[in-house]
Amino acid sequence: MSALTAALIPVFGVIALGWLLRRTRLVRAELWGGVNRLCYQALLPALLFSTIASADYDGLQAGPFLIAVTLGFVVMAVVSLALKPLIADGPAFTSVFQGGVRWNGFVLLALAAPAFGAEGAALAALVFAPTVPLINVMCVAVLSVWGASDRAPDLKQVAWRIAANPLILGCLAGLAANLSGLFQDGVIADTIALVGRAALPLLLLAIGAGLDFSALKARPRLLALAVALKLIAAPLAFYALGLAFGVEGVALAVLVAVGATPGAAAAYVLASEMGGDARLTAGHVTATTLLAFIAMPFWIWLAGG
Amino acid sequence: MSALIASAFAPVFAMIALGWLVRASGLMDRTLWSGVNALNHRVLLPAFLFVMITRADLSGDHVGELALASTSGSLIMIALGLAAGRALGLKPAETAALTAVAALWNLVLTMALAERLFGPDITGAAVVLPGVVLGAGAAVAGFAASQGAGPRAALQRIVRDPVLIACAAGMAANLAGLARLPFLLTPLELTAAGTMAVILLAMGAGLDFAALKGRLRALAAAALLRTLIAPAIYLGLALAFGLRGESAALLALAGGAPAAAVTYAFAADFRSEPGLVAGMITLTVLTSALALPLVTALALMI
């Protein structure tokens, strides 16, 4: 059994468990809000901090990797925008757009350490810092143009939400600790590392609890298009950019894997708030989460990881 | 040794403080924590116990002595809780709370500390299993009886409790040799990996300093039983059963740990003074933070 397969089984198992818990009403749908909030406010920032703070980035090609990964999301935004003439329905287009550019980094983070080692986890954690603000700005812009909501977006609120995003703060604090050599060990580092250990199990359970199979029936052709954008076009684009920037080895495998991660539930929240097609987005997140278990190993294998 | 103890205790209690801070600062209010608590009690803690018990080597060194010492400790603490309630002239619901807090120790905190002190290979199944079954059984029976609910209601609550079901299932899986099936256990192991941190954070979020006002006698008795008398008894039992080193320290940790957070859920289910139980849990977290490092150091010296 390859390291990747061995890592995929528990990840898939925990997502399935989360779905089962919601489905059997052992942990009812409305209770998951608190779990998501805890992940987002405390556990994930802690995990990003301790992964980045203690990582050794020497010889990891972090520079070219970060440029390629950031450009990858820009390319995906351009490709998605080019599809606008084909999709007359504005809200549905915003869901296709979000489907094309959003990524669920935590599925990758769960796989990275067991499949690619500490190096892979270190690189995967780094991706959040530049891409979380970039992707959010792009999605908010597209939704404010084509979303069904009449309210103009409160730009101040959007800017504040990005500046105070706990994931970005966790990454930046981790980078500062890494560069300054502070908080490498001791009580604070230990506490944050312990808190971070809970991030992935809880988040994977929450991803499972959020799966919505009934939404798969909504707009099958648009859904197929958005899924193809995420699981076929995106990994291809990231792969090409990686080759263009001379990224190789583990870094190339992680880069392509970033492209092949499933859609993220954050897209659903934004679609509900700003007049996107929330049901199409729910279907996209569900479909890509399931299909990613075929797509991710395939693309990683292709990239030689 | 003091450095080792500081490096083990400080982060564990810091996580509790962090959970309190996340709630008290308004980042996550009480209603949001109810989802986390439900997940803890119904999923994370059962997964943690199931994996630990399924994987436990029941033929290892001192397993029998540890289990006997833990069982005796629980029985003695139940008796002391009941006796203290009578001696102090407490009401039945107050005595039930005192007995539950005396007998049911916080096993997640104990295992988190044991892991930090002795490494990830330490298995506490022999200490944890009797402690949970007897402590939870006594807590539920006490709360039910104090509210006039019959033994049937108590039994129904016990057989439906996810934590106790997980203990029974883990024991069955251990005996059936299911530890050899990685496909079954790895997803549960990944789930269980999040248990310690989330439960400690939720414990902090549940701290209720307002519940410390009034009923000083019941609160003081709980702190005394949980933080001073229980570790002395568990250390005495360790000596009596010839346990030393890590085994003795594991028992001391169990003896001096704060009250289990789940006690509050049991009390709330039977509407048996949950406010008092919240105060007792809060107080024992504080007193344990002070006393437990000393008790552990003492246990490692004998």
Side-chain angles (χ1 to χ4, degrees), chain B residues 4-293:
Chain B
L4 173 76
I5 287 178
S7 75
F9 282 85
V12 169
F13 282 97
M15 271 197 282
I16 297 178
L18 186 65
W20 176 79
L21 206 68
V22 169
R23 202 254 306 146
S25 66
L27 215 53
M28 266 184 77
D29 62 19
R30 278 191 196 280
T31 48
L32 285 169
W33 283 97
S34 65
V36 178
N37 286 328
L39 195 69
N40 279 343
H41 188 66
R42 296 177 202 164
V43 185
L44 299 183
L45 189 54
F48 177 80
L49 284 168
F50 179 82
V51 169
M52 175 166 76
I53 295 170
T54 304
R55 283 224 181 285
D57 177 8
L58 296 181
S59 59
D61 289 346
H62 306 305
V63 166
E65 289 92 335
L66 278 168
L68 271 177
S70 171
T71 306
S72 318
S74 296
L75 293 175
I76 293 171
M77 290 315 297
I78 293 168
L80 285 178
L82 291 171
R86 171 165 294 201
L88 293 170
L90 299 180
K91 284 182 280 190
E94 293 170 336
T95 304
L98 185 60
T99 309
V101 165
L104 186 52
W105 42 275
N106 193 305
L107 69 103
V108 171
L109 186 124
T110 301
M111 291 316 297
L113 287 170
E115 195 190 291
R116 291 197 64 76
L117 282 166
F118 309 120
D121 290 333
I122 181 111
T123 168
V127 174
V128 164
L129 198 54
V132 175
V133 174
L134 286 169
V140 170
F143 290 133
S146 77
Q147 297 307 306
R152 240 186 97 174
L155 202 64
Q156 273 176 356
R157 179 69 183 79
I158 289 171
V159 295
R160 277 188 306 135
D161 190 74
V163 172
L164 293 165
I165 292 173
C167 288
M171 203 62 205
N174 184 310
L175 297 175
L178 291 191
R180 289 188 299 266
L181 295 179
F183 288 85
L184 179 76
L185 275 190
T186 50
L188 286 176
E189 268 174 356
L190 181 56
T191 307
T195 302
M196 284 180 183
V198 179
I199 288 191
L200 293 173
L201 288 168
M203 251 178 94
L207 291 182
D208 184 356
F209 294 102
L212 291 178
K213 296 203 185 94
R215 290 202 276 195
L216 280 179
R217 281 194 315 155
L219 286 172
L224 206 63
L225 277 174
R226 185 70 272 159
T227 310
L228 285 180
I229 297 176
I233 286 171
Y234 278 71
L235 269 180
L237 287 165
L239 285 175
F241 283 99
L243 296 164
R244 296 287 182 275
E246 286 184 15
S247 304
L250 190 58
L251 277 172
L253 286 173
V262 69
T263 317
Y264 177 82
F266 291 147
D269 279 356
F270 289 99
R271 299 201 175 84
S272 177
E273 296 267 12
L276 179 64
V277 173
M280 288 177 170
I281 295 172
T282 303
L283 185 61
T284 56
V285 169
L286 300 179
T287 52
S288 279
L290 297 175
L292 205 48

Side-chain angles (χ1 to χ4, degrees), chain A residues 133-154:
Chain A
L134 172 71
I135 293 169
N136 276 303
V137 167
M138 295 193 305
C139 290
V140 168
V142 163
L143 270 153
S144 58
V145 175
W146 286 292
S149 174
D150 295 331
R151 267 186 311 130
D154 183 346

